[in-house]
Amino acid sequence: MKKKWMRLCALALGIVMTLTGCGGAPIVDVPSEDAGSSATTSSGTEQGDASSTESTGGEKVVTIAIEKAWDSMMPLNTNNNYSRIVYDQVYDRLTMSNADGTFTPRLAESWTVNEDSTAITFKLVENAKWHDGEPFTAEDVVFSFQMYSDPEVEALSRYHLQYIDGVDASGAELSEDSINVVANGDYEVTFTFKSAMFPDTFLSDIDTVFIIPKHIFEGKTAEEINSPELWANPVGTGPFKYASEISGERMEFVKNEDYFDGPADIDRLVVRVVDSASLLAGMMSGEVDINVIGSIPLQDWDMAQEQENLVTESVPTTSYSTMIINMSQPYMTQTARQAFSMAVNRQVLVDSLLQGQGQQIVTPISPISPYFNEDIQVWYDPDKAKQMLEEDGFPFDEELVLVTSSGADSERTASLIQQDLQKLGVKVRIQQFDFAALMDYMREGDFDFGMIGSGGTMDPSESREMIAPDSSVNFAHVPDDSLTSIIDEANAQLTFDARKPLFDEYQEKIMEISPMAYLYTKNDLVAYNKKLSNVNTANFSNLNLSTWTWKVAE
Amino acid sequence: MKGKYIVKRILIAIPTFFGITLLAYLIMSMAPGSPLDALLADPRITAEELERRSQELGLDRPAIIQYFTWLKSFLMGDLGYSYSSHRAVMTMITERLGVTALLAGSALIVGIVVALPLGIFAASKPNSLRDYISGGLSFVMVATPSFFMGLLLIYIFAVNLGWLPSGGIFDSTGVKTNAMLLRHLILPCIVLAFQNIGSWVRYMRSSMLEVMQEDYIMTARAKGLHKWSVNLKHGLKNALIPVVTVVGMSVPSLVGGAVVTEQVFNWPGIGMLMVTAINARDYPVIMGITVIIAIAVLVVNLITDLVYGLLDPRISYR
């Protein structure tokens, strides 16, 4: 009897022990940095001195928080900005975008555009080296673009190459290495455009194309390139060297002493995935030093500002929320659409929902953009809206459907809008979906309004996809090109001064047609530990962190 | 006898398992939103690229065909590759299994160690102060959402007292030790154990009370045996049967992860992987996790049934 009892206990304990692996072996399988380096060696390269800075004494460690984990480690095969934050530490790009619409040189020291604006020539830095010691040259740039344009290679964001001569509209090469990127000597490279274009549009489009080492990828088959092994221990020219990863939790980097722009002040950089709910707690306890994508939650913002150890900055961005109006519904006439846009009290959305950390908008072009039309006024007139709907013969007994993604901000925005429309006597039912289901529903479904957010970019034509008749995200069901033709005409102009009046016209026209009610832009709420300085948070939303220029106090 | 029973159970488990995978696949593909929809987070992605992906991943074919394609490679031991990270699903799961099992396993042990004695203690004197206190406590434990509990503990122990870390599994120093891991384990483990303790205490108590009414307990007491000797030797073993079922039901979380707790504490386990995979409609990863959980449930059910026999020889296997 007693023996059986003992046996039972032993069994139970045994199961738990096996499952938790408490047998003295390492509890969690964490790739140590040495293991990382041996893996790299097996793929034919050397690790460099990644593990030589092991000592913790006096090391300057900075932990940056991102809200969600990276996915693919192949730089052009993602649509995920969390991944790009990680690439940006290891790899370099030619230039980076700034919040004011200018560009910061990176691997490209300077650039010139030819007379008819059909080609751009980058002069490259001469002292850059790959992490394995090989010198960086123009051949690496040429190879990167050739590899990314190979249709056999998986590259989700290949469209970034679309303006270059020799590729199709999706960015894929027309024939073997037909992409028109040519090296002139070791440190100069020329890109030829399909046709004359505004160079800034090109620069902002290729600013997420990371340059990869030719000597590692040359001669590899598409299949080898598509498998994750070659990318797992990345060798770049970037300010930091890859050290180790815990999948879905963190990636660690050590300083690249030989970085061409001078070594970073940070010895060890840790990129950690931190849920927004515990983000501020992590900062208050000093475990997290800065949030780079993913704001401090609004409800924590007051508390964040009170912290002695934190610097807080509310940064205006181009990212905006908008309410799509389904133009394919017969009662959604232009008058009705204008009336609905006019009925939304954006002041309340910004003041109470965003607690002032945002701006009201009525067009997709953010007030911080140089292309913003100063003459545009935010409209709010519920009485006039109601009158317009009545005169238009709007079916007030119809219950309208507002679809939105789940998420605190969109849910609250949706219910505030529901109240605004209630005041006109319009009944609205809210339906919530997760992102993928929302896309599916808006494409197929019978809906009236759809809440959606956009990251926005400094490129004023960013909104084109959402209103282009043939686009896969034309959820407003815009039937003709009356809007896109203005954008295309503007994009064909080669100077800011020629483009500005056309984008001004675009903003007036989009208010008139009102395929959506643009609602507000949201500020990035960034906090960082006081030990950091020289941090330019304004550029974060352009994926420009410039981590190697940050200064760390002891 | 018992060997035959086990074989029979395993034979039943096999069709059950394939039924689960078929249902999971069909429900997953019928749910609104496809892997291609998830890619529209980047509105500039070209129609050509979407078309290419759709063909490459076989998404243009009917769901049932997709299922059999999946099944074929599964039977050959291949769980496929993630749509978004392009890594082998098996690798993605195994590298997180240890982390998840560590959290869920420690929470299970803490739960058992705390809940069972507390339940027995409460049952030893029904309607006494000790019974009310344990009852009240367990209600609070069951009723507190783990999300709130997690944030509360983070606020107290990580922010105010600074004793424990607020999340993650290691510090940022670059050195990674088991001691550091255990420090990071304490808070999520408590949160996860908390809810189980609440309900297990109630089960243990009521089951114990029921058994104490039985004639053989009366007999044992009448023979003059000490109260606690009767309680533990004769009462507890019989009272454990329903509790084993309940505890057994929570064992699959050892591989399935605890979504909310993992999220709040940034614990990189299977639960977080599952959430990411569902949001991205990453079918191979969703199926991989489903398979692992299904196997765990089937195995644990078998083990629980066998444990009944150890606890009560009257239960026979046929």
Side-chain angles (χ1 to χ4, degrees):
Chain A
M1 201 67 166
K2 200 167 191 177
K3 244 200 255 168
K4 263 193 189 168
W5 177 236
M6 297 280 284
R7 220 191 299 154
L8 173 70
C9 289
L11 174 74
L13 203 65
I15 296 170
V16 173
M17 291 276 265
T18 351
L19 285 166
T20 54
C22 297
I27 303 181
V28 173
D29 184 24
V30 177
S32 74
E33 288 174 18
D34 287 339
S37 78
S38 67
T40 327
T41 317
S42 68
S43 69
T45 59
E46 283 163 28
Q47 172 74 5
D49 58 352
S51 47
S52 66
T53 47
E54 244 337 57
S55 77
T56 45
E59 216 187 25
K60 288 178 177 173
V61 181
V62 169
T63 305
I64 69 184
I66 56 180
E67 202 180 351
K68 291 189 178 116
W70 51 94
D71 47 29
S72 169
M73 283 303 288
M74 199 281 223
L76 214 61
N77 199 18
T78 189
N79 60 359
N80 179 325
N81 277 343
Y82 308 104
S83 305
R84 294 186 182 121
I85 289 291
V86 167
Y87 312 147
D88 195 39
Q89 311 313 317
V90 181
Y91 298 105
D92 272 312
R93 18 191 183 147
L94 294 172
T95 59
M96 295 185 292
S97 304
N98 301 325
D100 59 3
T102 59
F103 297 90
T104 303
R106 196 133 162 207
L107 280 177
E109 218 167 48
S110 61
W111 50 94
T112 49
V113 180
N114 67 354
E115 209 155 296
D116 53 1
S117 209
T118 52
I120 186 166
T121 299
F122 294 97
K123 185 159 177 350
L124 304 175
V125 296
E126 300 192 6
N127 57 341
K129 271 197 286 189
W130 294 100
H131 294 163
D132 57 11
E134 295 284 320
F136 157 81
T137 69
E139 284 303 321
D140 291 307
V141 178
V142 173
F143 178 81
S144 299
F145 280 82
Q146 285 173 350
M147 195 198 81
Y148 289 142
S149 68
D150 180 351
E152 299 285 301
V153 169
E154 287 183 23
L156 205 52
S157 325
R158 182 176 287 129
Y159 61 78
H160 285 300
L161 316 179
Q162 67 178 331
Y163 297 117
I164 305 171
D165 178 45
V167 301
D168 66 14
S170 74
E173 62 191 11
L174 302 172
S175 60
E176 178 76 19
D177 296 339
S178 61
I179 187 164
N180 203 338
V181 180
V182 181
N184 332 309
D186 276 353
Y187 300 107
E188 211 178 86
V189 60
T190 299
F191 290 67
T192 306
F193 307 140
K194 284 176 177 161
S195 58
M197 73 179 291
F198 185 55
D200 287 11
T201 307
F202 177 72
L203 288 178
S204 66
D205 210 40
I206 60 155
D207 90 335
T208 50
V209 179
F210 291 88
I211 305 302
I212 49 136
K214 178 178 184 179
H215 64 276
I216 290 182
F217 293 94
E218 192 177 28
K220 296 281 189 285
T221 64
E223 199 182 331
E224 286 171 307
I225 292 171
N226 291 338
S227 75
E229 285 74 30
L230 272 181
W231 304 95
N233 291 284
V235 172
T237 51
F240 291 92
K241 296 180 178 183
Y242 170 83
S244 69
E245 175 188 3
I246 300 175
S247 179
E249 204 256 350
R250 72 176 60 200
M251 197 172 278
E252 299 195 9
F253 304 91
V254 292
K255 164 162 70 177
N256 173 10
E257 294 286 357
D258 299 323
Y259 191 50
F260 70 86
D261 198 29
D265 193 28
I266 302 168
D267 295 308
R268 173 177 292 274
L269 183 74
V270 181
V271 178
R272 264 187 56 190
V273 180
V274 181
D275 190 67
S276 60
S278 47
L279 177 59
L280 181 60
M283 289 192 169
M284 287 163 69
S285 66
E287 293 161 75
V288 175
D289 296 312
I290 184 166
N291 60 314
V292 294
I293 2 182
S295 280
I296 303 270
L298 267 171
Q299 62 268 24
D300 291 348
W301 188 235
D302 285 343
M303 195 168 178
Q305 286 173 302
E306 288 162 13
Q307 299 311 310
E308 289 283 318
N309 69 332
L310 298 178
V311 181
T312 53
E313 285 174 15
S314 175
V315 187
T317 69
T318 52
S319 96
Y320 60 88
S321 289
T322 177
M323 184 175 75
I324 292 163
I325 304 177
N326 186 353
M327 291 172 72
S328 68
Q329 302 281 23
Y331 43 81
M332 287 298 184
T333 61
Q334 180 161 311
T335 314
R337 298 193 303 268
Q338 286 178 358
F340 286 126
S341 178
M342 209 178 279
V344 175
N345 192 342
R346 293 172 176 80
Q347 186 77 50
V348 166
L349 290 177
V350 169
D351 288 353
S352 61
L353 182 85
L354 299 184
Q355 295 172 28
Q357 309 302 326
Q359 290 83 32
Q360 309 177 47
I361 53 166
V362 279
T363 79
I365 294 180
S366 152
I368 64 168
S369 165
Y371 289 95
F372 178 68
N373 183 343
E374 300 284 347
D375 297 333
I376 294 278
Q377 296 293 321
V378 173
W379 55 15
Y380 172 59
D381 194 338
D383 297 331
K384 188 175 168 202
K386 184 166 182 159
Q387 195 190 338
M388 283 163 73
L389 285 180
E390 279 164 357
E391 282 166 14
D392 199 47
F394 188 83
F396 282 92
D397 45 350
E398 192 94 20
E399 188 186 46
L400 304 186
V401 177
L402 194 173
V403 291
T404 172
S405 60
S406 35
D409 281 356
S410 358
E411 281 168 29
R412 272 179 250 151
T413 306
S415 59
L416 286 170
I417 290 177
Q418 187 185 32
Q419 289 168 25
D420 284 337
L421 300 190
Q422 187 99 51
K423 285 181 203 145
L424 307 187
V426 175
K427 288 186 292 290
V428 173
R429 179 160 49 97
I430 298 175
Q431 284 189 309
Q432 286 171 14
F433 299 94
D434 80 336
F435 180 80
L438 181 70
M439 296 293 108
D440 190 19
Y441 195 89
M442 286 203 290
R443 195 178 46 240
E444 311 288 343
D446 188 24
F447 74 103
D448 298 290
F449 304 113
M451 290 277 311
I452 197 169
S454 167
T457 63
M458 294 310 290
D459 181 355
S461 52
E462 177 273 338
S463 52
R464 191 184 184 285
E465 293 303 324
M466 303 265 291
I467 48 161
D470 58 347
S471 149
S472 41
V473 289
N474 177 16
F475 299 124
H477 297 88
V478 177
D480 56 43
D481 65 352
S482 53
L483 285 166
T484 48
S485 60
I486 308 178
I487 294 186
D488 295 342
E489 198 192 336
N491 273 340
Q493 308 304 315
L494 303 179
T495 60
F496 175 82
D497 293 334
R499 287 155 57 87
K500 176 80 166 83
L502 286 161
F503 279 112
D504 283 347
E505 185 194 334
Y506 167 64
Q507 292 170 71
E508 281 156 23
K509 186 78 179 170
I510 203 162
M511 271 187 89
E512 183 194 321
I513 296 187
S514 286
M516 320 186 180
Y518 295 92
L519 301 171
Y520 51 76
T521 63
K522 237 194 297 192
N523 291 6
D524 265 353
L525 303 180
V526 183
Y528 56 90
N529 195 296
K530 285 217 163 110
K531 76 179 185 189
L532 293 178
S533 57
N534 202 30
V535 179
N536 190 354
T537 54
N539 286 339
F540 281 11
S541 63
N542 292 296
L543 286 180
N544 173 354
L545 305 185
S546 299
T547 42
W548 72 96
T549 64
W550 296 358
K551 294 281 172 265
V552 190
E554 285 295 341
Chain B
M1 196 67 164
K2 205 187 267 178
K4 212 169 152 195
Y5 173 79
I6 296 178
V7 171
K8 202 170 110 190
R9 282 293 304 264
I10 291 176
L11 286 180
I12 297 175
I14 291 171
T16 314
F17 172 76
F18 288 109
I20 293 172
T21 57
L22 175 66
L23 269 181
Y25 205 100
L26 292 184
I27 292 174
M28 179 177 79
S29 17
M30 282 186 319
S34 72
L36 301 177
D37 287 318
L39 292 179
L40 293 179
D42 181 348
R44 284 188 59 196
I45 190 158
T46 57
E48 289 95 329
E49 186 61 38
L50 289 176
E51 182 57 35
R52 215 185 54 74
R53 290 255 150 174
S54 162
Q55 278 176 15
E56 183 190 299
L57 304 177
L59 295 169
D60 48 349
R61 287 176 297 166
I64 191 80
I65 306 284
Q66 291 180 42
Y67 170 72
F68 282 109
T69 316
W70 176 83
L71 188 66
K72 195 177 142 207
S73 62
F74 171 73
L75 290 176
M76 295 192 301
D78 182 5
L79 281 176
Y81 294 85
S82 158
Y83 291 168
S84 47
S85 76
H86 312 281
R87 301 174 64 218
V89 172
M90 202 59 207
T91 321
M92 292 173 77
I93 291 178
T94 44
E95 70 191 2
R96 287 172 181 245
L97 210 52
V99 195
T100 284
L102 174 67
L103 174 57
S106 56
L108 189 72
I109 295 171
V110 170
I112 292 173
V113 168
V114 176
L116 300 198
L118 207 60
I120 298 166
F121 187 60
S124 65
K125 208 172 177 189
N127 302 322
S128 62
L129 183 64
R130 66 170 77 147
D131 190 16
Y132 292 139
I133 290 178
S134 97
L137 268 180
S138 63
F139 278 126
V140 170
M141 287 173 161
V142 173
T144 315
S146 49
F147 183 76
F148 172 76
M149 184 68 194
L151 291 181
L152 187 71
L153 292 190
I154 288 175
Y155 186 73
I156 297 172
F157 292 101
V159 176
N160 274 358
L161 299 172
W163 291 348
L164 293 168
S166 68
I169 60 175
F170 290 107
D171 296 345
S172 291
T173 51
V175 186
K176 299 181 179 68
T177 61
N178 278 346
M180 198 189 279
L181 180 63
L182 290 178
R183 258 167 51 84
H184 284 77
L185 175 65
I186 296 174
L187 289 185
C189 172
I190 293 176
V191 171
L192 203 53
F194 216 67
Q195 299 229 315
N196 283 342
I197 293 174
S199 63
W200 293 352
V201 166
R202 305 305 297 166
Y203 274 106
M204 192 65 232
R205 174 187 174 275
S206 62
S207 170
M208 195 72 186
L209 279 179
E210 209 170 293
V211 170
M212 298 311 280
Q213 313 291 324
E214 297 283 345
D215 293 342
Y216 55 83
I217 300 289
M218 295 292 187
T219 316
R221 287 299 301 275
K223 281 196 294 188
L225 288 178
H226 186 263
K227 181 186 169 193
W228 280 105
S229 158
V230 175
N231 279 359
L232 294 180
K233 223 169 172 179
H234 301 268
L236 176 61
K237 250 186 76 181
N238 289 295
L240 271 178
I241 293 177
V243 178
V244 165
T245 314
V246 176
V247 173
M249 272 168 13
S250 78
V251 171
S253 73
L254 282 173
V255 296
V259 174
V260 175
T261 311
E262 286 183 5
Q263 192 119 18
V264 172
F265 288 97
N266 309 305
W267 191 267
I270 302 275
M272 261 169 86
L273 184 64
M274 188 71 160
V275 173
T276 318
I278 290 176
N279 281 332
R281 301 293 191 273
D282 197 340
Y283 290 171
V285 177
I286 300 176
M287 284 309 289
I289 298 174
T290 310
V291 163
I292 302 284
I293 295 177
I295 293 175
V297 171
L298 294 171
V299 169
V300 167
N301 278 352
L302 183 61
I303 293 176
T304 346
D305 284 353
L306 295 177
V307 171
Y308 292 157
L310 289 181
L311 288 170
D312 186 348
R314 288 171 307 179
I315 295 178
S316 65
Y317 297 101
R318 247 177 265 137

